[in-house]
Amino acid sequence: MIEAFLKMLRPPKNIGVWEWSNTYRMLSSKSASVPGKFNGNKTPYMKAIYDDLSPDSPIQEVYLIKSTQVGGTEMGYNLAGYHMHIDPCPILYILPNLSICDAHSNDRLDPMIAETPEIKAVVPEKRSKEGGNSKYRKDFFGGVFSYATAGSPDALRSKPIRILILDEISTMEQDLKGEGDPIMLAKKRTITYPNKKIFLLSTPGIYGKDLISTEYEKTDANECYVPCPHCGSYQTLEFEGLRWAAGNYDDVKYECSHCKELIAERYKPKMFTAYD
């Protein structure tokens, strides 16, 4: 613990969240299909987002509208883990309800702490008479990680927060007891930090009517473009481009929006490596 305390006193290393994740982060079998060391090469298109979440970037707010199982939630925990290890500060992770907080604490946060030595070194072991290491709160040297639910206005407007993460916001109420949406309330907790980071991520609900799409429309709306392996034309991948024979969901292909050739699943890794 003395060594961990001394680490806290040192200035942050010149390393971004992407580099930290690929160097230090360990994945648990509870949350990853392939446990072990985090490998960002499996989702190279996420690097630009990681870079925007890093302290060297002047960008303070990052919005990710995504499909399922693309590494968005893991990105949120990598952001938290980075600051727990490298640049300690108050971190708040907001989820739709208490049962999801329970699941995240048990299946994501606790395993990340237990299996990533650099984080484990700065989080004191839980003792029965201490409240700083509980299911919804983890004190660490120089900061604290806390969970809150989107349905509690009091929790969303209390202590100052530098790193704010809101996950699955499309399922959150858009007006909390007449006090506004959870995003607006939570953002107020970051106003005292000029070096804050706000990360909002979610799969969409009804586009244009849910929180993630309405917030996303306020941004520069960057998208991931990948090249067709047949004609080389860059395009975003849309659900409407999927093609399959009736009842045969094991052989789905994607129709290029330019040359109309069908793209097999095996081409996908190479396409995403050459993303723009």
Side-chain angles (χ1 to χ4, degrees), residues 102-123:
D102 287 344
H104 272 238
S105 180
N106 293 332
D107 300 337
R108 293 185 180 272
L109 180 60
D110 283 347
M112 179 178 76
I113 295 171
E115 300 186 22
T116 306
E118 289 74 17
I119 301 178
K120 185 177 181 180
V122 299
V123 179

Side-chain angles (χ1 to χ4, degrees), residues 193-207:
Y193 284 96
N195 56 347
K196 65 188 176 185
K197 291 289 182 180
I198 299 171
F199 182 35
L200 283 75
L201 64 151
S202 185
T203 52
I206 300 175
Y207 198 91

Side-chain angles (χ1 to χ4, degrees), residues 134-150:
S134 65
K135 182 177 290 189
Y136 308 121
R137 176 189 172 108
K138 304 291 183 184
D139 286 347
F140 55 91
F141 293 114
V144 59
F145 178 104
S146 302
Y147 285 112
T149 63

Side-chain angles (χ1 to χ4, degrees), residues 8-209:
M8 180 196 74
L9 299 178
R10 300 170 191 160
K13 296 179 182 178
N14 186 23
I15 185 174
V17 181
W18 176 258
E19 292 79 9
W20 180 89
S21 302
N22 285 284
T23 303
Y24 298 105
R25 178 69 198 283
M26 300 297 294
L27 300 175
S28 166
S29 58
K30 287 187 174 182
S31 61
S33 58
V34 182
K37 194 169 185 179
F38 176 86
N39 182 6
N41 291 327
K42 294 181 178 180
T43 55
Y45 47 87
M46 290 291 200
K47 184 180 184 301
I49 307 174
Y50 273 94
D51 290 344
D52 287 342
L53 291 171
S54 297
D56 287 347
S57 170
I59 294 174
Q60 293 184 327
E61 300 185 24
V62 177
Y63 299 76
L64 174 60
I65 184 169
K66 63 183 186 65
S67 59
T68 59
Q69 303 299 314
V70 294
T73 293
E74 214 62 71
M75 183 185 294
Y77 281 95
N78 283 343
L79 173 62
Y82 170 90
H83 283 280
M84 294 171 80
H85 174 210
I86 299 293
D87 189 10
C89 61
I91 304 165
L92 181 63
Y93 204 116
I94 299 176
L95 292 160
N97 56 57
L98 199 58
S99 65
I100 298 179
C101 288
D102 287 344
H104 272 238
S105 180
N106 293 332
D107 300 337
R108 293 185 180 272
L109 180 60
D110 283 347
M112 179 178 76
I113 295 171
E115 300 186 22
T116 306
E118 289 74 17
I119 301 178
K120 185 177 181 180
V122 299
V123 179
E125 292 184 9
K126 185 175 182 179
R127 296 183 175 89
S128 59
K129 295 183 179 180
E130 296 180 0
N133 188 337
S134 65
K135 182 177 290 189
Y136 308 121
R137 176 189 172 108
K138 304 291 183 184
D139 286 347
F140 55 91
F141 293 114
V144 59
F145 178 104
S146 302
Y147 285 112
T149 63
S152 173
D154 290 339
L156 299 182
R157 62 173 175 234
S158 54
K159 296 179 181 179
I161 293 296
R162 179 180 159 200
I163 305 300
L164 175 63
I165 305 164
L166 293 100
D167 199 345
E168 287 303 336
I169 64 174
S170 290
T171 63
M172 297 178 184
E173 294 290 335
Q174 297 198 27
D175 189 8
L176 300 180
K177 302 176 182 178
E179 298 189 35
D181 67 65
I183 299 173
M184 179 194 70
L185 293 175
K187 281 183 178 180
K188 290 180 180 179
R189 297 185 60 174
T190 67
I191 60 175
T192 58
Y193 284 96
N195 56 347
K196 65 188 176 185
K197 291 289 182 180
I198 299 171
F199 182 35
L200 283 75
L201 64 151
S202 185
T203 52
I206 300 175
Y207 198 91
K209 296 184 179 180

